[in-house]
Amino acid sequence: MPMTPVTESLFCLGLNEALPISEEATTSRVVVNNDVLRTVVFTFDAGQQLTEHASPRAVVVTLLEGEMDFSIGERTERMGAGDVIYLAPNDRHALTAVTACRMQLVMVDVDNDAVGAHQG
């Protein structure tokens, strides 16, 4: 996947048309990818799941359309369009699409020294 230079601005237009929600499928497209952050747009048909996993990066999840059940550890919440979740690095999470959904993930590299400084 091509790198997106941190020093260059970028328009990513027409993503809904370029990445339609497909029947009985989960699809994704990387929109921005560089050493600082990675942005990915996902689509899920109703009933599609992502099993429990974790990311070493900090993650911001925004549900753009639809409804999904999103779990962080033992807690599960029903998300609707416009809802946002912050995932700390290495937090285990999973999701199930209740309806057809479109979601954006923004993953940010975190300076481990900064994380340690805020925990103490």
Side-chain angles (χ1 to χ4, degrees):
M1 102 196 58
M3 291 293 285
T4 308
V6 174
T7 57
E8 293 180 23
S9 298
L10 171 72
F11 282 101
C12 296
L13 306 175
L15 288 173
N16 287 353
E17 293 79 24
L19 192 64
I21 297 172
S22 300
E23 191 172 322
E24 297 184 16
T26 298
T27 58
S28 66
R29 171 153 313 163
V30 176
V31 180
V32 176
N33 184 41
N34 59 43
D35 293 335
V36 177
L37 64 86
R38 180 177 172 156
T39 302
V40 184
V41 174
F42 286 86
T43 64
F44 305 91
D45 196 10
Q48 295 295 303
Q49 299 180 331
L50 285 182
T51 57
E52 190 177 61
H53 62 284
S55 170
R57 293 178 167 189
V59 179
V60 176
V61 177
T62 304
L63 189 60
L64 303 173
E65 64 182 84
E67 285 188 321
M68 69 172 47
D69 289 336
F70 200 103
S71 301
I72 303 172
E74 299 298 317
R75 180 178 176 183
T76 300
E77 295 287 343
R78 174 80 38 104
M79 293 182 72
D83 289 346
V84 175
I85 294 173
Y86 169 74
L87 292 165
N90 302 309
D91 270 359
R92 299 198 60 74
H93 56 281
L95 66 86
T96 300
V98 176
T99 66
C101 296
R102 185 177 308 276
M103 176 183 82
Q104 176 181 270
L105 282 181
V106 178
M107 296 171 272
V108 180
D109 272 339
V110 177
D111 178 345
N112 287 330
D113 293 335
V115 172
H118 292 290
Q119 289 177 345

